Amino acid sequence: DQQVKQNSPSLSVQEGRISILNCDYTNSMFDYFLWYKKYPAEGPTFLISISSIKDKNEDGRFTVFLNKSAKHLSLHIVPSQPGDSAVYFCAASVRGNNNDMRFGAGTRLTVKP
Amino acid sequence: KAGVTQTPRYLIKTRGQQVTLSCSPISGHRSVSWYQQTPGQGLQFLFEYFSETQRNKGNFPGRFSGRQFSNSRSEMNVSTLELGDSALYLCASKKVIGSLEQFFGPGTRLTVL
């Protein structure tokens, strides 16, 4: 039961351009959404999050947008840098049950110099 | 402050065997969660332990079990290994059970032959 889906397994962009990573979810009970970044041989690290009461959260080059009616969120990276090349996971937590976080399958981003 | 550590980092087993993986959380963190990462499936939640008690469990067969010790270290055991158990097993620690902020270890890569 894949409640969080990242339909693009990979994305390649040129350095300096915008990277847009997408994520869809099916469970309307999710109330908090997170993006994690993972480099090879390392565990995922937290990148940015958004609460369901907001539709946008920005942190430097990273912005997450949430469209609750479409059950869709996206991560924008502007401008993209080669060091951003990694696998990005979106995750969602269920209202009242933050202990059980659901992750998407991940999108491998490659930023070409 | 030392991060989450997992041992061993790599493991090769054969079908039918059992395996035990270990996770030491960040000092002061009392919650440990385990995830299985496979290509195309992303991170799938296995279970969470807090104060030596399993607090939440994902949708995995009973062959997957775990425990937590009084020092918050956790072990995960998989019995009667199957080829499909080959994956990266990640553990994550949190300070308190309700926290959304979790820190991942580098994972244990299990290969079942």
Side-chain angles (χ1 to χ4, degrees):
Chain A
D1 178 15
Q2 199 75 14
Q3 297 185 31
V4 179
K5 294 180 182 179
Q6 293 177 257
N7 292 318
S8 298
S10 63
L11 174 69
S12 181
V13 299
Q14 207 64 37
E15 180 179 6
R17 304 296 289 269
I18 183 171
S19 294
I20 300 177
L21 297 102
N22 294 303
C23 179
D24 296 295
Y25 62 96
T26 57
N27 190 341
S28 57
M29 297 295 284
F30 288 142
D31 65 344
Y32 207 79
F33 304 88
L34 305 90
W35 284 94
Y36 284 82
K37 178 167 131 176
K38 185 181 185 299
Y39 292 118
E42 294 181 14
T45 55
F46 169 76
L47 190 59
I48 191 169
S49 64
I50 188 166
S51 163
S52 61
I53 62 173
K54 295 186 176 181
D55 54 18
K56 177 182 173 181
N57 188 26
E58 196 171 348
D59 184 2
R61 297 185 298 113
F62 302 91
T63 303
V64 57
F65 295 92
L66 176 63
N67 182 335
K68 287 186 288 294
S69 60
K71 293 191 176 67
H72 177 84
L73 67 155
S74 61
L75 174 68
H76 293 211
I77 306 174
V78 183
S80 301
Q81 299 173 354
D84 296 329
S85 296
V87 177
Y88 289 79
F89 293 97
C90 73
S93 68
V94 179
R95 186 173 296 128
N97 188 14
N98 292 335
N99 310 318
D100 182 0
M101 190 166 290
R102 304 296 174 119
F103 284 78
T107 296
R108 180 177 300 280
L109 173 67
T110 303
V111 180
K112 297 178 179 177
Chain B
K1 189 186 252 191
V4 178
T5 57
Q6 292 186 246
T7 56
R9 293 293 309 277
Y10 302 91
L11 207 47
I12 299 175
K13 292 285 188 179
T14 55
R15 277 181 301 174
Q17 287 187 307
Q18 75 162 22
V19 67
T20 299
L21 313 181
S22 180
C23 172
S24 292
I26 291 172
S27 177
H29 286 197
R30 296 171 61 196
S31 163
V32 174
S33 296
W34 288 89
Y35 293 86
Q36 180 194 65
Q37 185 193 348
T38 53
Q41 290 291 317
L43 279 72
Q44 294 187 283
F45 174 75
L46 279 153
F47 29 64
E48 178 178 17
Y49 284 87
F50 181 80
S51 293
E52 302 176 63
T53 302
Q54 188 179 92
R55 301 294 178 145
N56 208 346
K57 191 177 191 303
N59 191 24
F60 277 82
R63 300 185 297 108
F64 292 81
S65 63
R67 58 178 176 167
Q68 187 180 35
F69 301 95
S70 58
N71 62 358
S72 294
R73 189 177 70 86
S74 177
E75 286 182 349
M76 190 192 92
N77 185 77
V78 188
S79 61
T80 320
L81 284 166
E82 299 176 1
L83 294 179
D85 296 333
S86 294
L88 180 68
Y89 289 89
L90 293 158
C91 88
S93 78
K94 295 188 292 192
K95 207 165 199 178
V96 293
I97 195 168
S99 172
L100 282 165
E101 188 177 17
Q102 56 184 345
F103 299 84
F104 285 87
T108 294
R109 171 74 62 188
L110 172 65
T111 302
V112 182
L113 303 175

